[in-house]
Amino acid sequence: MHHGSALSVTVLLDLSYSMRLPLTLNKDDRGGPTRLDEAKTLLDRLLKSGRPDTEWSLLTFGGS
């Protein structure tokens, strides 16, 4: 059991064009997961691993 104040976490997620590119630039891996896919997977793990009293905020930004 945790005593004390809640943990406050802010996540900044890049939604720019570069995040839509594949994880690898290998021609054989085209159509595979993108950088954004990987970021979403990691974000899911982070959210699931947090304490029950964690306060989350998600900030996003993107390019034109």
Side-chain angles (χ1 to χ4, degrees), residues 9-17 19-20 36 39-40 43 47 56-64:
V9 178
T10 300
V11 177
L12 178 61
L13 183 60
D14 178 358
L15 298 177
S16 67
Y17 171 77
M19 291 298 285
R20 293 182 185 93
L36 185 56
K40 290 190 292 186
L43 182 58
L47 293 173
W56 297 94
S57 61
L58 175 63
L59 304 175
T60 63
F61 69 93
S64 53

Side-chain angles (χ1 to χ4, degrees), residues 3 5 7-10 12 14 16 24-27 29-30 33-34 36 41 43 45 47 53 58-60 62:
H3 297 284
S5 61
L7 183 64
S8 181
V9 178
T10 300
L12 178 61
D14 178 358
S16 67
T24 175
L25 297 178
N26 185 340
K27 292 180 194 177
D29 292 334
R30 287 192 182 151
T34 65
L36 185 56
T41 298
L43 182 58
R45 285 187 203 155
L47 293 173
D53 62 345
L58 175 63
L59 304 175
T60 63

